[in-house]
Amino acid sequence: MDRPVARLIYMDHLQGYAAPAHDTVRERWRRTSADSVWLRPGDWYHPAVDALVEAMCEERDGAPAAERLGRARAEAGVGIGETLDDVACLYGVHDREPEVRLLRAVAVGWSEGYEATPVTPEVLDPESGLATAQYLVHRLRETYGVARRAGSDATRTHGLLVVDVALDDLTGWQRFARSAAMGRALTQTFGDGHPMASLGSGIFVVLGERGADEGELRTVLRHNIERTGLTLGVTAILRRPPRVWLEPLPQTHAAAVELLNVLQR
């Protein structure tokens, strides 16, 4: 190699040897991001990380690598905010302000990756058309992460509205019809795209902000369930009236996942 050695290495005195510059920077970036903005420590690394680090260490144009990294993050289901915050941590390692041009490349790549990512069966429950429990777990992780970065408490701002319309001894077709009716009723109540999911066996949950008139919301929801049941002719396979209650979010994301597991049983 004919590049100047000073631009290729940092002395790592703790380890007792000269480590390649990009390895050192990558690890400092990873630690900084994991300690502040990154929500899933186990899935941070991607080959585009190395490409971006090398471009910065060698003072080359990092936009192509940044765009590739943004695309990879979107395809992995990482949100745009978390993606940009992560790249900003790389600049923090260098004690520099993020470059608008490079952040734009990250955003462009993320947008392309998001648009190209198909909706998979793991995201949507085929019977109700609502999200699966696995997808709601992801949304809960985002909720806790956003609250933590904002210095607030997710347990005070959000809760899980649980709806139980379960009846025993239903046939397969009846369970399918029940799920379809509930997907329609919940969407009418909360709107398309709201974070809500089917947990199976007639249990549905909605992630929402606290502070709304919960009594009125429950009344509207019960009305929509009853009306949808009548419209589709499935009132006989729905618990009437449905059980509806609010579960406060636990202190941690792990505890919230356990709560979903308990509700599924």
Side-chain angles (χ1 to χ4, degrees):
M1 268 182 210
D2 57 1
R3 299 191 189 102
V5 174
R7 290 178 60 185
L8 287 178
I9 62 173
Y10 292 123
M11 294 302 297
D12 190 338
H13 299 292
L14 295 177
Q15 297 296 329
Y17 62 87
H22 77 271
D23 288 353
T24 303
V25 173
R26 181 191 62 218
E27 287 310 301
R28 290 175 61 194
W29 176 14
R30 181 189 62 78
R31 289 195 299 267
T32 301
S33 185
D35 290 343
S36 56
V37 301
W38 195 256
L39 303 181
R40 296 163 294 276
D43 65 359
W44 180 82
Y45 180 75
H46 185 275
V49 164
D50 279 329
L52 182 55
V53 169
E54 290 174 6
M56 291 193 66
C57 289
E58 299 172 12
E59 299 180 3
R60 293 186 283 103
D61 180 15
E67 188 169 326
R68 178 185 169 202
L69 180 60
R71 186 179 300 110
R73 296 307 197 206
E75 291 171 350
V78 180
I80 182 63
E82 187 178 357
T83 298
L84 293 175
D85 286 345
D86 173 54
V87 174
C89 287
L90 171 59
Y91 278 87
V93 168
H94 284 273
D95 293 322
R96 293 164 51 188
E97 290 294 322
E99 297 177 11
V100 173
R101 177 173 175 272
L102 189 138
L103 291 181
R104 180 180 181 277
V106 174
V108 168
W110 187 93
S111 177
E112 292 175 351
Y114 179 80
E115 292 175 357
T117 302
V119 177
T120 65
E122 289 75 19
V123 173
L124 292 180
D125 168 51
E127 294 185 357
S128 66
L130 303 174
T132 60
Q134 291 85 351
Y135 181 72
L136 188 62
V137 166
H138 174 71
R139 294 300 300 268
L140 280 166
R141 183 185 292 115
E142 291 179 340
T143 299
Y144 279 92
V146 169
R148 185 183 68 238
R149 292 196 292 270
S152 60
D153 186 349
T155 65
R156 296 180 179 272
T157 59
H158 288 75
L160 287 173
L161 187 70
V162 185
V163 186
D164 179 0
V165 293
L167 291 177
D168 295 331
D169 301 323
L170 299 185
T171 66
W173 180 89
Q174 287 174 326
R175 288 193 297 270
F176 182 91
R178 178 181 63 191
S179 294
M182 287 301 299
R184 180 173 175 177
L186 288 167
T187 300
Q188 287 175 344
T189 304
F190 296 96
D192 191 31
H194 193 92
M196 47 193 171
S198 168
L199 300 186
S201 301
I203 306 295
F204 302 82
V205 291
V206 181
L207 174 63
E209 296 182 4
R210 303 183 67 172
D213 188 335
E214 294 176 8
E216 180 180 357
L217 181 60
R218 295 181 196 190
T219 298
V220 171
L221 176 57
R222 287 190 175 100
H223 171 74
N224 285 340
I225 293 173
E226 181 70 15
R227 183 178 62 181
T228 301
L230 289 170
T231 301
L232 300 180
V234 295
T235 55
I237 57 176
L238 297 172
R239 177 195 293 270
R240 301 172 70 193
R243 295 180 59 214
V244 182
W245 73 95
L246 180 69
E247 288 280 356
L249 286 187
Q251 287 294 327
T252 66
H253 175 253
V257 174
E258 179 59 27
L259 173 59
L260 291 180
N261 291 335
V262 171
L263 292 172
Q264 280 184 298
R265 296 189 183 116

